[in-house]
């Protein structure tokens, strides 16, 4: 998982390749189209840079993410501002810890959370929604009422029970994120499937006796990809914020480790207290990551859109 | 995070020294030389953290509920700005020779907001209602703490509520009989649970009697508006007996969950009083010297060691526990993290508690370097940490910025001084309570607020029978001393000795003594700054120009 | 269609029952109860209280008893935490609040979001597109717990134009900041889904044909492209609308609006079983209702859709 962005790209491309199953030329077509999209290529570089920062940035840090600078503790607003001379490039957090080291480590967690969550949403949500929408009738009704129920149950208790039963770990954080992330995606995929399944090419496939699951994978899913990719990038900020709630309950990231969500929420609470860097640095990486994800997603969508061919 | 520590009732046991009959002249509220602001500006707007769980006096168990009830209702006795008792509905009381019967004399001009008189029967009704199992008040235990005769049987349902030893021989005399002498009993009647409640309204409206329009109250104010999670508004009660001396016309409580938001709104002029977020006191004090305030508050912050079988082996070694306590630099915590006028704590009882004399403990006189050196030595003897067996401990706390800050700092202090690893574990409040209560932890934070201003309210926690002894500390000597203190004429020596034993055994270690840190509009005068429980009465304050 | 709607409504009832049962099981299984407190209550007292609230009965009995009370008497019980209110009081007071600011947020989010998305799609890869995309990505990524205190700082503390919080029956000065804080990220999401959906539609054969025929662009957009564009937007709007009208904790926390969003979250933290169940049923019913509404709208937009 050194280059998680590449992992998603690969995943999506694999899905497309699987569904189309037309071999190498499509893939290079897509790459070619992606390369022409300057915004997307630039965003990909940004994403790679952020990933490098998140996974290698700690080697440039002068301090660890947990050491307290006792001499500045209690006087952060005056003495904790970002400075190259004392090695605190991003300044100190409210407890006198190096914000650079904490942002590096927090970005790492949050990128993973965003990627894993949106991957689960894409895979589970799309397939679930496509199956429900394609099958229709009673199957659709049952599957979608299950989604309605899952959307309405008090999710907090599910998380607390996960904590009680399995203890805390980063793995359980991903389970928690995964449980919630696919629901909206399933509804969107299902809604689109309802119209796609009436299109001529699907009817033709049905008429020639193609198996339903093959139809879903080959004809429905590729046509969903546009909206799925857009929605996946929409999900990421929500998931990164949800992580801080899950950690609040004790299931996820524990101090002294942190995440962008936790850093931003702490920074936001302190915004009028003269330590604005505590908000700006994490928020910058949050926004930059999301912008990059968006443009890469947009580029991928254009590159993979079967209708353009 | 939305839970407030329960704390209540009051003050100095030295009152009895004044003699059996006790009455104080009423204070004229407005100080000479103060020019009052015009009537339309005589409002008081206060921030509250969360919606009041209840404003039915018999059901109230939290500080905010008490704050509201003290304005809407009036109990037998009130407190002045120092926390001393002053007359409320009662003008005074007599104590019998065996110190077990208290007779309160009620004023004859006390009235409910509907104009009917407040009588001793109202108190009898209220106290019986508070103990009645059918009311199911979570605060019924306070009635049992007051030691009223038969109270436990009533709560258990073994005897009817009428068996409670309270009586109204006539409309203006209220008599309480205790099961054993309790020197601080009079202090306890300033708590809301003992306030009178209107039988008429309760019988007419049932649980809805606390709604505006239905509520009849006997305090200086009447409830006029209540929107859950938004606000509670009260206006002057024209039937209140001392209405002529009341200045503030309208009292508003705004529910603002986020303390930083509350501070912003205070600075925008929307509030007269709000809490100061952790760490912001020095800056605000500099910028608003007349508004930023810090007063001692009767609560202690401490850490529990799990001494039960489920606790880690290393913590069973008293040297390890003492080393861990010594290595915590409380001055840094108080001066550099909290920064709100809190004080380092070395005794479990808050330093400002009435009738408490702290023992002279060695830890108090050492510098932090000396403490660290001794801690390292003890740890070495025990064979852990740097150069010994590696030790890793887990600190459990409920999720909140302040608890997190302390846990992080203490973990780092242990790591740097003793070379032991700590991991932190935060949990949501109820999960935390469940785990701590079941000794499913290694080290866990705790906080305790005095129910009344006397050391036993703290030290009872250290007895083996206490339900709140989360460390599962057992020492027969402590149990015996605390039992002795209850009957002793002068229990101070017992308390001092118990603190000494705790300092030796270290089942818990105190971290700091609380302070109430807030912004208070400087136009408000007569705020009870010296009341260590911060029990305020809006009828006593006023705004100047 | 009519028989489909009737069938769906019939299914809603068992769905809600399943929701209630699952929520109860989760609640009972979670550590701590409504009367777990810092100071553990003496056992006798706890028994009194449990008896009063029916918590001394077996779990299955409590669930059936609750469902019976709701179905037969429409009685949701008293709040375990806020003892002066019944659950019905809380919902009656809080739901109109969230409904009001949620509805206006929805209107703002849809109007601004759809316009932004359409403009961006029509002018794809022009500065207008980049601007619209930039605004929507930024708006969507700015967490509302950052936006909300910023708004109060600017409009209350610095400019003194708006009250810093409260509801006061929903007068407009109290409504502005909650609506901005709540609608921003929804608006951005809607803009982005609209843009991408519109782009796909504009590439489709029938639009190309229309363009080739020389129909004016405005007419193509309104008459032909708008309806299919809205399909995926609708799938998003269903849950989004429910999300907005059932309130936002962040809005309730930062603006002290007193909506049910905060009550819902607090009830879970407080283990206030009755309040939590009441609001869960409300949210569940709305979720089910609006997924039906969305399905009906699908069929209206695309008459070929059969369920």
């Amino acid at each position: 998982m050194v280059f998680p962005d590449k992992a998603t790209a690969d995943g999506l491309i694999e899905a497309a390749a699987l569904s189309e199953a037309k071999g190498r030329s499509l893939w290079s077509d897509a790459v070619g189209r992606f390369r022409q999209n300057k915004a997307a290529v630039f965003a990909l570089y940004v994403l790679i840079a952020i990933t490098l920062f998140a996974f290698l940035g700690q080697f440039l840090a002068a301090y660890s993410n947990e050491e307290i600078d006792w001499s500045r503790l209690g006087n952060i607003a005056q003495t904790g501002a970002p400075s190259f001379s004392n090695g605190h490039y991003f300044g100190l957090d409210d407890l006198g810890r190096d914000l650079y080291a904490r942002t590096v480590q927090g970005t790492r967690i949050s990128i993973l959370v965003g990627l894993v969550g949106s991957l689960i949403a894409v895979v589970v949500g799309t397939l679930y929604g496509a199956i429900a929408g394609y099958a229709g009738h009673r199957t659709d009704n049952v599957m979608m009422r299950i989604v309605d129920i899952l959307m309405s149950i008090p999710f907090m208790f599910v998380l607390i029970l996960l904590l009680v039963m399995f203890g805390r770990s980063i793995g359980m954080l991903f389970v928690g994120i995964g449980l919630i992330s696919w629901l909206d995606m399933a509804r969107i995929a299902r809604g689109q499937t309802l119209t796609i399944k009436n299109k001529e090419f699907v009817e033709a496939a049905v008429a020639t006796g193609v198996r339903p699951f093959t139809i879903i994978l080959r004809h429905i899913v590729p046509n969903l990809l546009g909206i799925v990719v857009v929605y996946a990038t929409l999900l990421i900020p929500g998931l990164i914020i949800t992580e801080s709630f899950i950690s609040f309950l004790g299931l996820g990231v524990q101090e002294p480790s942190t995440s962008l969500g936790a850093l931003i929420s702490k920074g936001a609470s302190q915004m009028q207290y003269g330590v604005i860097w505590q908000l700006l640095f994490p928020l910058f990486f949050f926004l930059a990551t999301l912008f990059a994800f968006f443009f890469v997603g947009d580029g991928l969508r254009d590159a993979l859109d079967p209708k353009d061919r | 995070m939305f839970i407030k520590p329960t704390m209540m009732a009051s003050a100095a046991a030295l009152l009895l020294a004044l003699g059996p009959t006790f009455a104080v002249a009423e204070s004229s509220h407005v100080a000479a030389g103060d020019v009052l602001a015009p009537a339309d500006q005589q409002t008081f707007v206060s921030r509250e953290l969360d919606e009041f769980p209840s404003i039915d006096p018999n059901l109230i168990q939290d500080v905010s509920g008490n704050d509201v009830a003290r304005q809407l209702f009036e109990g037998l006795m009130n407190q002045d700005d120092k926390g001393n008792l002053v007359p409320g509905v009662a003008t005074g009381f007599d104590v019998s020779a065996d110190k077990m019967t208290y007779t309160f004399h009620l004023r004859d001009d006390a009235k409910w907001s509907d104009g009917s008189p407040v009588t001793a029967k109202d108190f009898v009704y209220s106290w019986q209602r508070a103990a009645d199992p059918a009311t199911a008040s979570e605060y019924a235990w306070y009635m049992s703490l007051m030691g009223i005769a038969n109270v436990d049987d009533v709560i258990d349902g073994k005897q009817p509520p009428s068996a409670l030893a309270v009586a109204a021989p006539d409309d203006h005399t209220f008599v309480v009989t205790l099961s054993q002498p309790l020197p601080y009993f009079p202090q306890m009647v300033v708590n809301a649970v003992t306030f009178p409640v209107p039988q008429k309204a309760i019988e007419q409206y049932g649980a809805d009697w606390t709604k505006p329009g239905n509520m009849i109250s006997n305090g200086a104010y009447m409830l006029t508006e209540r929107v859950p999670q938004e606000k509670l508004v009260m206006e002057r009660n024209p039937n209140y007996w001392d209405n002529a001396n009341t200045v503030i016309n309208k009292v508003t409580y705004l529910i603002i969950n986020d303390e930083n938001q509350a501070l912003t709104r205070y600075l925008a002029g929307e509030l007269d009083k709000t809490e100061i977020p952790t760490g912001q006191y020095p800056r605000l004090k500099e910028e608003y010297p007349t508004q930023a305030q810090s007063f001692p508050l009767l609560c202690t912050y401490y850490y529990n060691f799990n001494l039960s079988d489920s606790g880690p082996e290393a913590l069973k070694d008293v040297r390890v526990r003492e080393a861990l306590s010594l290595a915590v630099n409380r001055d840094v915590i108080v001066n550099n993290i909290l920064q709100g006028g809190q004080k380092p704590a070395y005794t479990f009882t808050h330093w400002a508690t009435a009738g408490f004399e702290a023992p002279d403990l060695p830890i108090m006189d050492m510098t932090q370097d000396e403490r660290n050196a001794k801690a390292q030595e003890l740890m070495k003897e025990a064979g852990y940490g740097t150069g010994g067996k590696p030790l890793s401990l887990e600190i459990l706390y409920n999720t909140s910025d302040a608890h997190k800050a302390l846990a992080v700092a203490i973990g780092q202090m242990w790591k740097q001084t003793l070379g032991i690893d700590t991991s932190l574990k935060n949990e949501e409040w109820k999960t935390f309570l469940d785990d701590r209560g079941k000794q499913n932890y290694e080290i866990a934070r705790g906080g305790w607020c005095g129910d009344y201003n006397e050391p036993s309210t703290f030290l009872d926690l250290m007895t083996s029978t206490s339900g709140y002894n989360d460390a599962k500390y057992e020492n027969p000597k402590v149990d015996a001393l605390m039992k002795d203190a209850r009957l002793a004429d002068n229990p101070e020596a017992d308390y001092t000795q118990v603190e000494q034993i705790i300092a030796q055994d270290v089942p818990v270690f105190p971290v700091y003594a609380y302070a109430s840190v807030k912004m208070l509009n400087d136009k408000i005068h007569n705020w009870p700054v010296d009341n260590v429980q911060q029990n305020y009465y809006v009828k006593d304050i006023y705004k100047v120009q | 269609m009519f028989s489909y709607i009737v069938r769906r409504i019939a299914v809603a009832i068992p769905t809600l029952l399943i929701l209630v049962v699952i929520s109860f099981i989760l609640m009972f299984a979670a550590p701590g109860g409504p009367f777990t407190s810092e100071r553990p209550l003496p056992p006798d007292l706890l028994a009194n209280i449990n008896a009063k609230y029916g918590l001394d009965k077996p779990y299955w009995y409590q669930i059936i008893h609750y469902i019976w009370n709701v179905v037969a008497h429409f009685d949701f019980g008293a709040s375990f935490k806020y003892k002066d209110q019944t659950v019905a009081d809380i919902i009656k007071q809080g739901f109109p609040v969230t409904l009001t600011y949620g509805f206006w947020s929805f209107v703002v989010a849809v109007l601004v979001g759809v316009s932004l998305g359409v403009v961006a799609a029509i002018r794809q890869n022009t500065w207008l597109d980049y601007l619209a995309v930039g605004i929507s990505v930024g708006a969507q990524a700015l967490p509302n717990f950052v936006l909300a205190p910023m708004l109060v700082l600017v409009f209350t503390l610095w400019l003194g134009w708006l009250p810093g919080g409260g509801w006061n029956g929903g007068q407009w000065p109290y409504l502005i900041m909650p609506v901005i804080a709540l609608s921003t990220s929804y608006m951005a999401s809607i803009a982005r889904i609209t843009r991408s959906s519109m782009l796909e539609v504009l590439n489709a054969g029938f639009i190309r044909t229309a363009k080739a025929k020389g129909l004016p662009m405005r007419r193509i957009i309104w008459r032909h492209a708008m309806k299919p564009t809205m399909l995926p937007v609708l799938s998003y709007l269903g849950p989004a609308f429910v999300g907005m009208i059932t309130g936002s904790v962040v809005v309730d926390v930062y603006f002290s609006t007193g909506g049910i969003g905060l009550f819902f979250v607090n009830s879970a933290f407080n283990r206030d079983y009755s309040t939590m169940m009441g609001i869960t049923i409300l949210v569940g019913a709305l979720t089910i209702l609006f997924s039906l509404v969305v399905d009906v709208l699908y069929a209206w937009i695309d008459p070929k859709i059969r369920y």
Side-chain angles (χ1 to χ4, degrees), chain C residues 62 77 80 181 294 296 303:
Chain C
Q62 291 184 45
F80 288 13
V294 166
V296 171

Side-chain angles (χ1 to χ4, degrees), chain B residues 124-145:
Chain B
V124 171
Y125 173 74
S126 168
W127 289 34
Q128 287 175 352
R129 181 172 178 264
D132 187 348
T135 312
S137 168
E138 287 172 71
Y139 217 57
W141 64 264
Y142 186 85
M143 303 301 285
S144 121
L145 206 63

